[in-house]
Amino acid sequence: MTHALLMSSSRKDALGYLEHASDQLRTVLDGTSRRVLFIPYAAVSFSYDAYETLAAPPFEAVDAQLTSIHHHNDPVAAVREADVIAVGGGNSFALLSRLYGAGLVDEIRRRMTEAGTRYIGWSAGTNVATPTIRTTNDMPIVEPPSFSALGLVPFQINPHFIPGKPQGHNGESREERLAEFTVINPGEEVLALVEGSALHVTDGHGEILGERKALVFTGGAPVRDIRPGQRFELGELSGPVG
Amino acid sequence: MTHALLMSSSRKDALGYLEHASDQLRTVLDGTSRRVLFIPYAAVSFSYDAYETLAAPPFEAVDAQLTSIHHHNDPVAAVREADVIAVGGGNSFALLSRLYGAGLVDEIRRRMTEAGTRYIGWSAGTNVATPTIRTTNDMPIVEPPSFSALGLVPFQINPHFIPGKPQGHNGESREERLAEFTVINPGEEVLALVEGSALHVTDGHGEILGERKALVFTGGAPVRDIRPGQRFELGELSGPVG
């Protein structure tokens, strides 16, 4: 049974890296070894060493020790031995390409669903936890073998959700992009998480962590809110609130 | 020899649909039948009929007649008979998926390079004219069979280019996204076009149309400007200006 913390972003407002997330990290780390295997594959313009140095302190702040998978000779074995995996943000297309390249997509999915390994993701690390990366905000700078991803939850997530559009530019708003997704993919659902928010998944249920409501986009229905603290069945994201 | 007008956007500032583009359209339409075959496949949340109604008037303004391909029973034959093709903006992933679905990718490329058919694209229609859609700004709402596209020019284009980033949000700036592209794809070049600008391609050469300079992003070199009116060889985008 999947136990996961899927965060929208590494940063909230002017806070430091994952500084807003201490309570969220404690929620998923309680009851584990607090030894976290870090997957830095979403980093493109900085090194895996630099990414590990950036990501370790907020884990130390909650008494957890983070070690990057690039120090292991056999990444599949490293995943098999981990009881907590953290997948950081960056570019979702680079991340998914490298997960396939290292043979980790099936292995992570299997460990999450069969062995109880816990999953922590933020930004691109949250995108790859959903069925596909079709609701990423990232530029498709590299072509992965498939858009199919880990599928730890049965719906899409849009991280870094922000309403409206910038002035003076004719690009689409995020709402327009997600509405297009629901038109071309009828019957599918997207959970939109503002920066600083997260989805906590346990026992087939979800709960929004953070201060602000999440939004659910689905075809042919008005956009729906989910309030922080409101527990819902993963399979009934756009259904009535229990 | 490819003759193409690749526009950044359908809109500029507060002007109407393609209203800024009359002179640019005349440049590529002169010497043709002025009968334009329109490909509306990038439209997702509105109909092909509605898109044709939107796109026809700016062509009428330059004495050209636009007819959408969805009125033809055989889209491949329609492309084969056209002497001007216009591919409109919308979602690049939907557009490329539907071009593959209709069997048009190879056919359009062949007609452009072998028969002298002229190509007009804007936004997503410009993305698919390049080797791949890896520098689109669009959400990957549907997975095409491949990112490979028409390759009418030998470099990537980023339409709707805008410098900097919006306040109060932690997403990447466009410069950061394009820099990531050049890191993961060393040796490749990206031409960034601000809204209202276009690339005019004739005889293996390019020229920027519009009022503002274009930018060239390539790995390991500073960002380079190309001024409007400055003619350059397509194969030497990041080389010295001739």
Side-chain angles (χ1 to χ4, degrees), chain B:
Chain B
M1 197 68 97
T2 300
H3 190 161
L5 174 70
L6 306 179
M7 295 183 277
S8 174
S9 58
S10 59
R11 294 183 190 274
K12 176 174 185 271
D13 307 326
L15 295 174
Y17 202 82
L18 291 175
E19 194 178 340
H20 69 278
S22 295
D23 286 346
Q24 297 177 9
L25 290 173
R26 280 193 195 94
T27 301
V28 71
L29 287 168
D30 277 356
T32 72
S33 66
R34 299 182 108 79
R35 296 162 66 99
V36 178
L37 179 69
F38 180 53
I39 300 184
Y41 295 166
V44 174
S45 53
F46 51 103
S47 72
Y48 294 163
D49 281 339
Y51 201 0
E52 184 179 32
T53 301
L54 177 70
F59 282 85
E60 285 164 17
V62 294
D63 301 316
Q65 185 188 346
L66 183 133
T67 307
S68 177
I69 197 168
H70 76 281
H71 300 302
H72 293 263
N73 289 327
D74 182 346
V76 173
V79 164
R80 209 169 282 154
E81 289 159 15
D83 75 331
V84 185
I85 292 175
V87 183
N91 184 281
S92 299
F93 293 88
L95 170 57
L96 188 58
S97 295
R98 289 162 173 169
L99 286 174
Y100 275 110
L104 292 186
V105 174
D106 288 344
E107 190 61 32
I108 294 176
R109 187 190 297 118
R110 187 160 35 237
R111 298 298 296 175
M112 298 299 137
T113 53
E114 296 176 10
T117 307
R118 299 195 188 178
Y119 185 96
I120 300 170
W122 56 94
S123 192
T126 288
N127 279 310
V128 299
T130 75
T132 74
I133 58 168
R134 286 171 299 155
T135 50
T136 177
N137 307 306
D138 298 335
M139 186 172 276
I141 56 174
V142 65
E143 182 172 358
S146 165
F147 284 4
S148 292
L150 298 171
L152 305 183
V153 292
F155 45 80
Q156 296 292 126
I157 295 178
N158 180 245
H160 295 280
F161 179 77
I162 186 169
K165 63 170 84 180
Q167 292 278 316
H169 195 63
N170 293 305
E172 304 85 9
S173 71
R174 191 69 60 79
E175 291 94 332
E176 288 167 343
R177 289 170 182 254
L178 295 177
E180 286 193 344
F181 177 88
T182 65
V183 167
I184 212 163
N185 299 290
E188 294 196 47
E189 300 165 320
V190 187
L191 180 70
L193 293 173
V194 298
E195 295 191 339
S197 287
L199 171 67
H200 184 220
V201 174
T202 46
D203 301 328
H205 286 73
E207 181 182 342
I208 303 300
L209 305 182
E211 296 153 15
R212 294 172 58 193
K213 66 188 182 188
L215 299 177
V216 179
F217 291 80
T218 189
V223 176
R224 177 170 165 273
D225 295 346
I226 303 184
R227 294 185 308 278
Q230 179 179 308
R231 196 170 150 88
F232 57 91
E233 287 190 34
L234 290 181
E236 294 188 5
L237 186 61
S238 54
V241 176

Side-chain angles (χ1 to χ4, degrees), chain A residues 41-181:
Chain A
Y41 294 166
V44 173
S45 51
F46 51 103
S47 71
Y48 294 163
D49 280 339
Y51 202 178
E52 183 179 34
T53 301
L54 177 70
F59 282 85
E60 286 165 16
V62 294
D63 302 316
Q65 186 190 345
L66 183 133
T67 307
S68 176
I69 198 168
H70 76 280
H71 300 302
H72 293 263
N73 289 327
D74 182 347
V76 173
V79 164
R80 209 168 283 154
E81 289 159 14
D83 75 332
V84 185
I85 292 175
V87 183
N91 184 280
S92 297
F93 293 88
L95 171 57
L96 189 57
S97 296
R98 290 162 173 171
L99 286 173
Y100 275 109
L104 291 186
V105 174
D106 287 344
E107 189 62 32
I108 293 175
R109 187 190 297 118
R110 189 161 32 239
R111 297 298 295 176
M112 298 298 137
T113 54
E114 296 176 8
T117 307
R118 298 193 190 179
Y119 185 97
I120 299 171
W122 57 95
S123 193
T126 289
N127 279 310
V128 299
T130 76
T132 75
I133 57 167
R134 285 171 300 155
T135 51
T136 177
N137 307 306
D138 298 336
M139 185 172 276
I141 56 174
V142 65
E143 182 172 359
S146 164
F147 284 3
S148 292
L150 298 170
L152 305 184
V153 292
F155 46 80
Q156 295 292 127
I157 295 178
N158 179 244
H160 296 280
F161 179 78
I162 186 168
K165 64 171 84 180
Q167 291 277 317
H169 195 64
N170 293 306
E172 303 85 8
S173 71
R174 191 69 59 81
E175 291 95 331
E176 288 166 345
R177 289 170 182 255
L178 295 177
E180 285 192 345
F181 177 88

